[in-house]
Amino acid sequence: MAAAGKTLHVINGSNGTKKRGSIKKMTLTAMLAAIAVILMYMEIPVPFMPGFIKLDISDLPALFGSFIYGPACGVLICLVKNVLHSFATNTMFVGEISNFILGCAFVVPAGVIYQKRSDKTGAVIASITGTVAMALLSIVSNYFLVYPIYYNFMPKDMILKAYQAIFPGVHSILQALIVFNVPFTLLKGVICVVLAWLLYVPLAPMMRIKD
């Protein structure tokens, strides 16, 4: 009976620990998602980009979520921030779809790499890898998915002219994506890499949360 009581106590203790861990995970994920939503509203225009493309660093909280709890957490934060942001924009969900796709391209490889090397160097390597993946995918996702949806609201020629007003040397949407969107996406990722490096030490205790 004593052994059975001890076993029951261990099981109950284990369940309690898991429950506390789940609550901690949900709370922290919700906090990061809320920060991501706020940062997404703090978007700014970029001089060398058409006016319909703006810069924000809302992927940074998703990156840290991916570091702490794995890529699935980062994807969830990307999803939540874009769903909430879509209610207050006039992009007809197109901007949010693009942001979600590229955000996932950023945080998933970063999260996978960080799970294998959970230190400051690993965080930087993971962030850089995610940045490159995001920049490369930006060509494919914009050309084959996002911009074709945009064409229903803004003619293709008008979008191209917006790019040509900045640099007349581009003669197609694909060229525009390579010349403009890839550097823009790299810039966005580099900003997140630098901030991840600067914030790693103060946020390091959270990086050890795995339960």
Side-chain angles (χ1 to χ4, degrees):
M1 288 296 293
K6 184 176 181 180
T7 301
L8 182 61
H9 177 73
V10 170
I11 293 175
N12 288 336
S14 177
N15 290 337
T17 300
K18 289 181 179 179
K19 186 176 181 179
R20 287 193 297 273
S22 297
I23 294 173
K24 185 185 298 182
K25 181 176 181 178
M26 287 189 295
T27 302
L28 185 55
T29 301
M31 289 174 58
L32 290 171
I35 295 172
V37 171
I38 294 172
L39 291 176
M40 198 168 183
Y41 279 108
M42 297 171 63
E43 57 187 8
I44 59 173
V46 179
F48 60 84
M49 293 296 292
F52 56 85
I53 298 177
K54 294 181 174 61
L55 176 69
D56 68 75
I57 56 170
S58 61
D59 289 327
L60 185 62
L63 176 66
F64 280 113
S66 189
F67 285 167
I68 298 167
Y69 289 121
C73 179
V75 170
L76 178 60
I77 293 171
C78 287
L79 178 62
V80 170
K81 69 163 180 158
N82 279 290
V83 169
L84 294 178
H85 188 264
S86 67
F87 293 111
T89 63
N90 56 359
T91 64
M92 303 301 291
F93 304 104
V94 182
E96 285 74 29
I97 291 173
S98 178
N99 189 283
F100 174 72
I101 293 173
L102 297 184
C104 290
F106 181 49
V107 303
V108 170
V112 170
I113 292 173
Y114 186 78
Q115 299 303 304
K116 299 181 182 299
R117 180 167 181 173
S118 302
D119 56 21
K120 190 173 184 178
T121 300
V124 173
I125 293 173
S127 302
I128 292 174
T129 303
T131 296
V132 174
M134 179 171 61
L136 294 176
L137 186 61
S138 70
I139 302 175
V140 179
S141 65
N142 282 318
Y143 189 74
F144 290 105
L145 176 62
V146 176
Y147 275 44
I149 298 176
Y150 259 131
Y151 299 154
N152 295 312
F153 314 101
M154 184 184 297
K156 183 177 181 179
D157 291 342
M158 187 178 295
I159 293 178
L160 182 57
K161 286 180 180 178
Y163 284 108
Q164 290 175 332
I166 302 171
F167 178 56
V170 294
H171 303 292
S172 68
I173 292 296
L174 182 58
Q175 285 183 338
L177 291 174
I178 295 172
V179 172
F180 287 91
N181 290 53
V182 170
F184 169 82
T185 307
L186 286 172
L187 172 63
K188 179 177 179 177
V190 167
I191 292 173
C192 288
V193 171
V194 172
L195 290 174
W197 181 77
L198 293 173
L199 294 173
Y200 187 86
V201 171
L203 294 180
M206 285 199 302
M207 298 299 172
R208 291 190 287 271
I209 297 176
K210 300 298 180 184
D211 53 350

